Amino acid sequence: MEHSWPKARPEVESLHAYSAPLEGRRQLLRLDFNENTIGPSPKVVEALRAIPADHIAIYPEYDGLREAVVENLALPLEPDQIGLFNGVDAAIHAVFHAYGDRGETLLTTSPTFGYYTPCAQMQGMEIEALPYEGESFAFPLENLQRRLQESKPRLLLICNPNNPTGTRLAPELIVAMAASSPDTLVVVDELYEAFTGDSVLPLADFQATPNLLVLRSLAKTAGLAGLRIGFAIGHGAVVDRISRVTGPYDINSFAVTAAFAALRDQAYVDAYVAEVVQARAWMGQQLQAAGVRHHIDGGNYLLIWPKQDPAQLDASLRQAGILVRAMTGKPLIDGSLRVSIGTTAQMQQFWSAYARLEGLSA
């Protein structure tokens, strides 16, 4: 006899969850998920090791963490303008949970971070994704501004710089879009901002544009991806609404301890970011000299179009101990590989293997 089970909401029954192939990656050179490739500050490790055993039995405490974020940002913000989340993924989910609804529209770009779509689908939203333009994947500014005025979407989500194309949009333009569309919550995903410096935060006046929200993380720069901590920064009332749909203890105490230590050691983060920017420039020079089709813009990643089948090259690189991400099936960039940028030494290791497998002179 075939057993039935309780059916979920129609949106969930038809949903294909966002999932990333993250298993079996340790001990390999991880250039597939845009992570920090060297690990966090030694001060973070020291702080985690100093946690007393009995503290593991205590629910986490968050006092002072919002203030530490404000101090680190060195901007005229108040603690109630900082939302704390179990990674930016949880912040994105909370935004949709609080503001998304059936019949409402998400306006975004394509291709972009894959988690926005299932979050919108969970809420029964319509999705309007405008493609990046031309071989340089330029931001579809005029098209987006027109659709913003015409369709008055509930949510506008911009990844800036965009993952995976690296496309950058001037912060002034984003602030202006928020000002001209007060009924749309304009969410700016700034996970990769540190690698280019395009933040809207120095320009933002959340009293004037309370519909502007900025997402930040300690995953890519400070190396805390495994601990899951992210921030939503905006008007206090909006941050409050988004925080209402999360659990009371979503962020674990190890992440809190690590975040305090990472925020205190900004010099470590700055040095790592500088190393990645230098390695990105070096990598571009090698690809240019070898005549390899590639695209580099913002972020700690680039796109490469190999001569051979990308899936085969992906597998061959993995055998060589190097992980990259094939962009198979993604609009505009199908046939490319996304390669995260690590240190110069790590990129030299990648380039040596890539050139050998593609028959290039490294």
Side-chain angles (χ1 to χ4, degrees), residues 6 38 51 70 74 109 119 127 139 166 195 200-201 207 213 215 233 237 255 258 269 271 298-299 302 320 337 341 356:
I38 62 171
I51 295 174
V70 171
T109 54
C119 284
I127 301 165
F139 192 90
F195 301 103
V200 302
L201 283 176
Q207 296 305 315
L213 188 76
L215 306 180
I233 304 159
V269 172
L302 55 90
L337 297 173
I341 310 289
R356 175 176 55 80

Side-chain angles (χ1 to χ4, degrees), residues 124 127 139 147-148 165 214 238 260 286-287 300 319 356:
I127 301 165
F139 192 90
R147 294 305 301 148
L148 196 55
T165 63
V214 180
V238 175
F260 274 118
Q286 310 316 305
L287 292 164
N300 63 335
Q319 286 183 324
R356 175 176 55 80

Side-chain angles (χ1 to χ4, degrees), residues 181-317:
S181 307
D183 296 327
T184 299
L185 183 63
V186 177
V187 183
V188 192
D189 182 340
E190 289 194 349
L191 252 66
Y192 301 99
E193 175 277 334
F195 301 103
T196 42
D198 292 316
S199 179
V200 302
L201 283 176
L203 303 175
D205 177 351
F206 293 115
Q207 296 305 315
T209 50
N211 60 319
L212 180 64
L213 188 76
V214 180
L215 306 180
R216 287 287 192 91
S217 168
L218 295 176
K220 311 299 182 183
T221 53
L224 304 190
L227 287 172
R228 315 307 301 131
I229 187 152
F231 313 112
I233 304 159
H235 190 282
V238 175
V239 169
D240 171 61
R241 272 36 175 207
I242 297 163
S243 301
R244 289 179 188 183
V245 297
T246 63
Y249 303 114
D250 276 6
I251 306 164
N252 70 74
S253 52
F254 289 85
V256 173
T257 297
F260 274 118
L263 291 166
R264 281 194 295 265
D265 195 1
Q266 188 61 36
Y268 177 88
V269 172
D270 292 344
Y272 175 71
V273 169
E275 172 65 30
V276 168
V277 170
Q278 186 178 3
R280 185 175 64 193
W282 180 86
M283 196 67 240
Q285 290 165 0
Q286 310 316 305
L287 292 164
Q288 188 77 30
V292 175
R293 184 189 169 195
H294 65 283
H295 179 72
I296 303 178
D297 203 347
N300 63 335
Y301 45 86
L302 55 90
L303 296 171
I304 299 178
W305 282 260
K307 290 185 291 186
Q308 62 184 281
D309 175 57
Q312 179 57 51
L313 184 54
D314 185 6
S316 299
L317 284 166

